[in-house]
Amino acid sequence: MRLVIQRVLHASVKVDDRITGQIGHGLLVFMGVGHEDTKETVDKYIKKLLALRIFDDENGKTNLSIRDVNGELLIVSQFTLYADCSHGNRPSFVNAGAPDMANELYEYMLAECAKQIPVVQHGEFGAEMKVDLLNDGPFTIVLELDK
């Protein structure tokens, strides 16, 4: 699994000019699922994601988690995080999870995060999406725990 996490002041995602998810202050998370990922993998990433201390405290230090600041989550599926560009100029996606399995894990991530964070919004799996965001910092983290 791979996550690209951006601390945002606000973010939204549209499908066919229809907003499917929109948040204020919080995290925009792009989620890529690999073919070897499981629900246990997702659980491990959720634990890390929700505990990351990447929000500023009263002294301007990044000591607070999304829970600490009552932040919101926008989670967008993005299989292109598994692009392999090591051979030629056309990316290969052979390491990305099969669509049915990836969608199941994406839906699982949404449901599990919603048990812990009051506002969890999302994109639409497999759709052509337009993402709009105002990055706060900018602050962007690539999270890949299995490396």
Side-chain angles (χ1 to χ4, degrees):
M1 180 169 291
R2 294 179 182 153
L3 301 181
V4 173
I5 303 161
Q6 296 190 336
R7 189 178 71 186
V8 298
L9 295 176
H10 61 81
S12 65
V13 60
K14 287 183 181 181
V15 176
D16 298 327
D17 291 326
R18 171 182 48 88
I19 294 176
T20 64
Q22 183 172 348
I23 63 167
H25 186 242
L27 298 175
L28 168 60
V29 179
F30 294 101
M31 176 186 180
V33 175
H35 57 81
E36 295 182 0
D37 291 331
T38 64
K39 287 183 177 179
E40 290 76 22
T41 308
V42 175
D43 290 339
K44 184 168 61 169
Y45 275 77
I46 291 171
K47 183 177 179 182
K48 181 63 109 176
L49 172 67
L50 301 184
L52 282 174
R53 297 184 317 164
I54 59 175
F55 291 91
D56 295 344
D57 64 14
E58 64 279 356
N59 298 314
K61 300 289 184 187
T62 52
N63 282 325
L64 303 176
S65 72
I66 190 167
R67 288 185 185 114
D68 297 329
V69 299
N70 289 328
E72 302 175 350
L73 276 174
L74 175 57
I75 304 174
V76 176
S77 65
Q78 189 172 350
F79 80 95
T80 60
L81 293 178
Y82 273 87
D84 179 355
C85 300
S86 61
H87 302 288
N89 294 319
R90 181 176 298 163
S92 168
F93 299 101
V94 296
N95 293 321
D100 288 346
M101 181 270 288
N103 187 33
E104 179 183 333
L105 293 180
Y106 176 64
E107 294 294 331
Y108 177 76
M109 177 128 175
L110 293 172
E112 292 301 305
C113 285
K115 292 177 182 177
Q116 301 179 58
I117 302 294
V119 177
V120 177
Q121 297 283 300
H122 56 85
E124 187 175 305
F125 186 88
E128 181 75 24
M129 294 177 273
K130 306 296 183 212
V131 179
D132 185 45
L133 67 127
L134 182 57
N135 194 312
D136 182 17
F139 205 115
T140 302
I141 292 176
V142 177
L143 186 61
E144 192 169 16
L145 298 175
D146 300 329
K147 283 212 164 203

